Amino acid sequence: MKNRLNPDEILVVKENRAQGLKKFSYRFKASKGERHWNNASEMIRRGVNSPKPIAYFERTKNAAITHNYYVCEFVADAFSARDAFMAFAEGEEQYAGFDKHIIYRAIAQFTCKMHNNQIVHYDLSGGNLLMTKNDHGLIDVTVIDIGRAAIFDGKRITEKMRLIDLMRICYKLDWPNREIFMQTYFDEFGKAFGPGWRKPLEYYEWKQQTKRKIKQALKRIRRKR
């Protein structure tokens, strides 16, 4: 959407609405629009890139379970970690002009910095990490879809909490590339890279495959009706 006050600026408008069980659980939370605004503001304050928040809109009653909106800057000329990782899983060694190891390093540095700043995204799929080429020819990483993120004060982000994000990032990679990326992250983390990293990724892969099978089964049932 173009900014009517500045036609050269493109904005993103994210519509949020609670569905299913969330209509009940969200009653006890701030609206997603407000959560996006608060999280983006605090992430930027802590030096973690997220698109600049512009505004959020919500109703005065039942704000979290009725339509609400979050407006932020648009990240131009970006590609996602998902796009790059899918290419690497298919055997490509470069994406968007960058060697895969450079992309792995940029994402690992960004994600580790986010965790070191006491932030856990909780929905960090590859599509929620955007990358752009800066004026120095290097990669800038930006995180989006931050409504579920948890931002802590004075709390140590454990390895288990870090893996909640990492297993989602790695999902589109094949196993050899997953190991390369995880090794890169643990190098940034400054910790020994042990064998325990595989189990969370195996669980997440099983979970996603199971969800896909259930959805496909439900579609077949609907077609027969």
Side-chain angles (χ1 to χ4, degrees):
M1 182 187 83
K2 287 190 175 182
N3 184 349
R4 292 184 180 181
L5 299 177
N6 181 5
D8 294 329
E9 182 181 34
I10 299 176
L11 302 177
V12 174
V13 180
K14 181 176 175 60
E15 179 186 11
N16 305 295
R17 56 178 178 174
Q19 294 180 320
L21 292 175
K22 290 180 180 179
K23 287 185 177 180
F24 175 76
S25 61
Y26 276 20
R27 285 180 180 273
F28 310 102
K29 297 181 179 181
S31 72
K32 257 199 166 181
E34 181 181 351
R35 280 182 274 156
H36 272 86
W37 171 275
N38 290 340
N39 286 346
S41 300
E42 183 60 19
M43 284 180 171
I44 292 170
R45 191 187 73 80
R46 297 188 185 197
V48 177
N49 289 343
S50 188
K52 181 182 176 182
I54 304 297
Y56 73 91
F57 302 92
E58 63 182 25
R59 295 182 182 273
T60 55
K61 292 184 178 180
N62 296 323
I65 61 172
T66 53
H67 281 58
N68 56 90
Y69 304 87
Y70 172 65
V71 185
C72 66
E73 286 185 334
F74 173 71
V75 181
D77 302 320
F79 63 94
S80 72
R82 176 191 294 154
D83 296 334
F85 283 9
M86 288 177 68
F88 300 152
E90 293 173 358
E92 297 293 332
E93 293 294 317
Q94 292 188 339
Y95 191 83
F98 293 101
D99 180 84
K100 72 177 183 181
H101 296 283
I102 293 175
I103 290 177
Y104 289 159
R105 178 68 61 188
I107 295 172
Q109 288 175 341
F110 177 86
T111 309
C112 193
K113 178 181 179 181
M114 182 181 74
H115 291 154
N116 290 345
N117 276 278
Q118 301 174 294
I119 301 167
V120 182
H121 190 283
Y122 284 110
D123 191 23
L124 198 59
S125 66
N128 288 335
L129 286 171
L130 303 181
M131 288 172 279
T132 54
K133 185 176 182 179
N134 64 28
D135 294 338
H136 303 289
L138 304 175
I139 295 174
D140 286 334
V141 183
T142 301
V143 64
I144 61 172
D145 202 3
I146 53 176
R148 296 184 189 178
I151 302 177
F152 301 99
D153 287 308
K155 180 174 181 176
R156 176 175 167 268
I157 304 301
T158 64
E159 187 172 312
K160 183 177 180 180
M161 295 169 74
R162 292 168 187 258
L163 284 167
I164 290 171
D165 285 341
L166 294 173
M167 67 184 182
R168 288 169 169 80
I169 297 173
C170 287
Y171 179 61
K172 294 297 182 180
L173 288 172
D174 58 342
W175 280 103
N177 277 294
R178 287 175 183 177
E179 185 165 0
I180 294 170
F181 173 76
M182 293 295 290
Q183 178 68 69
T184 306
Y185 178 90
F186 274 82
D187 286 345
E188 290 295 323
F189 187 25
K191 293 290 183 73
F193 179 55
W197 68 274
R198 289 186 67 98
K199 288 185 178 179
L201 272 66
E202 288 171 348
Y203 161 74
Y204 187 72
E205 185 171 53
W206 171 84
K207 179 181 175 182
Q208 294 302 106
Q209 290 174 350
T210 302
K211 285 170 66 176
R212 190 180 302 114
K213 289 177 181 177
I214 291 172
K215 287 181 180 179
Q216 290 172 349
L218 290 173
K219 284 182 180 179
R220 287 195 294 268
I221 292 170
R222 292 192 191 102
R223 290 195 197 104
K224 291 178 180 179
R225 289 179 177 176

